[in-house]
Amino acid sequence: MLDVNRLKVFRAVVASGSVQAAARHLGYTPSTISQHITALQRETGLTLFEKSGRGIVPTATGRLLASESEEVMSQLARLTGMVDDLRAGHTGSLEIASFSSAAQEWLPAVVRRLREEFPALAIDLVLNELGTARGADIDVRVEDPDDEVAVPEGWCRRVLAEESYVCIVPADHPLADRGQIGLADLEGEVWIRDDRVESMCTRIIGRAAAAAGVVPNYVARSDEHHTAIAFAAAGVGVCVLPRLATLRAPAGTVSLDLTDPAPRRRVVALLRASSEGNPAAQRAIALLLEAARGVDEQRAA
């Protein structure tokens, strides 16, 4: 079996770019780092680094090992965290990953109920938009309803909701008093995106706009929906977003239902198969379903 500490040192050298930088980050001497790397190469029988100038760079084999060991190290960190929780007297832990609007609208109430029912439970929340969901027990994410669903191996899937998209405009916009508009009504408008790298939601919007014969003219992009809505409130342009992301839209904005066609997205919760026997995880799924229904009822009211 591979020595975990040597693997950690190896990954630090790959990530840091040099033995000296890894030594600083880990608090080791450069010679200790070199000894670990030499031992790991001997242990694996692989050439993991090659000389480059006065330093070293990972070989293709080394880069592959660093990439493929990501999941192992993530699971090890999760196990270490569980041991720390048990040592601290906690009866268990639960990690929930989510995209930001669900984290804001659903998870506060879910976590409060979990803490009431499992007082010793340690709960970690991470944003999966940052790519940090590897160790999560539950992963709340979005799907395109028109795509064929392939559940990742080792996970179980529950559908939480399917929601529509709306258009946010400033209150003095010519369309503001319509309540409901067709996507074709946005022809000629300037648009705002809530992502800088095209996401699934932007692809859903783009497909619906194309069906209506509209080509979105994006004049501003943001990394998240709060700023995109603020741009719309300031009159920069119109912003099409999933309804869940707009429930806290500021005063001075109007939310317009979209039709012809009406873009939609599906929200699901993936439960790690190894967490199916965790009562807190099962209860969290039930509470997420309850929270999703509650938001639907709030919208209807």
Side-chain angles (χ1 to χ4, degrees):
M1 293 182 64
L2 296 181
D3 184 284
V4 173
N5 193 47
R6 290 173 190 159
L7 188 59
K8 176 183 175 182
V9 170
F10 157 71
R11 288 169 51 82
V13 175
V14 173
S16 301
S18 72
V19 169
Q20 289 74 17
R24 287 196 305 272
H25 296 157
L26 297 177
Y28 291 162
T29 64
S31 61
T32 299
I33 296 290
S34 297
Q35 289 170 15
H36 278 295
I37 293 301
T38 299
L40 183 62
Q41 292 189 128
R42 184 171 59 248
E43 186 176 66
T44 60
L46 301 173
T47 301
L48 302 176
F49 292 94
E50 58 190 1
K51 289 189 176 298
S52 176
R54 300 179 62 181
I56 60 173
V57 295
T59 62
T61 298
R63 291 193 298 271
L64 180 60
L65 178 61
S67 173
E68 291 298 317
S69 61
E70 177 72 27
E71 179 70 19
V72 173
M73 297 304 287
S74 174
Q75 291 297 328
L76 182 61
R78 183 168 173 264
L79 182 61
T80 300
M82 185 188 73
V83 171
D84 291 341
D85 290 338
L86 293 173
R87 187 183 299 117
H90 299 149
T91 57
S93 63
L94 185 70
E95 182 171 310
I96 303 175
S98 174
F99 57 95
S100 57
S101 54
Q104 180 179 20
E105 297 298 335
W106 294 345
L107 288 181
V110 169
V111 171
R112 176 179 58 79
R113 293 280 296 278
L114 285 173
R115 290 285 303 131
E116 290 172 353
E117 298 176 25
F118 302 87
L121 182 69
I123 302 171
D124 291 313
L125 303 177
V126 298
L127 291 179
N128 51 24
E129 293 148 320
L130 303 177
T132 52
R134 286 182 176 272
D137 299 285
I138 296 171
D139 188 7
V140 181
R141 58 175 57 207
V142 297
E143 295 176 348
D144 185 338
D146 291 338
D147 286 348
E148 185 175 339
V149 176
V151 181
E153 185 177 356
W155 296 82
C156 304
R157 173 178 170 276
R158 290 292 301 272
V159 175
L160 300 179
E162 192 169 303
E163 61 167 342
S164 59
Y165 285 64
V166 298
C167 180
I168 299 294
V169 299
D172 59 358
H173 191 280
L175 296 172
D177 61 352
R178 296 273 294 274
Q180 177 177 292
I181 60 173
L183 268 169
D185 293 321
L186 298 179
E187 177 70 33
E189 297 284 347
V190 294
W191 295 45
I192 302 161
R193 261 173 58 172
D194 68 332
D195 56 18
R196 290 190 298 149
V197 177
E198 187 179 71
S199 66
M200 179 185 297
C201 285
T202 298
R203 292 194 297 273
I204 291 172
I205 294 168
R207 187 175 63 240
V214 176
V215 179
N217 175 22
Y218 289 109
V219 299
R221 293 179 294 178
S222 168
D223 278 327
E224 45 80 39
H225 62 277
H226 294 293
T227 303
I229 292 173
F231 285 175
V236 175
V238 301
C239 186
V240 176
L241 291 168
R243 189 180 297 274
L244 187 62
T246 67
L247 295 181
R248 298 176 189 268
T253 62
V254 175
S255 174
L256 303 172
D257 291 334
L258 289 173
T259 61
D260 303 321
R264 300 183 68 79
R265 72 174 181 178
R266 182 181 297 122
V267 184
V268 301
L270 299 180
L271 173 64
R272 190 180 293 277
S274 60
S275 301
E276 282 194 278
N278 182 341
Q282 292 287 356
R283 182 58 176 147
I285 293 293
L287 290 171
L288 282 166
L289 286 164
E290 186 178 316
R293 284 195 299 271
V295 170
D296 285 337
E297 291 164 3
Q298 177 185 338
R299 292 181 197 134

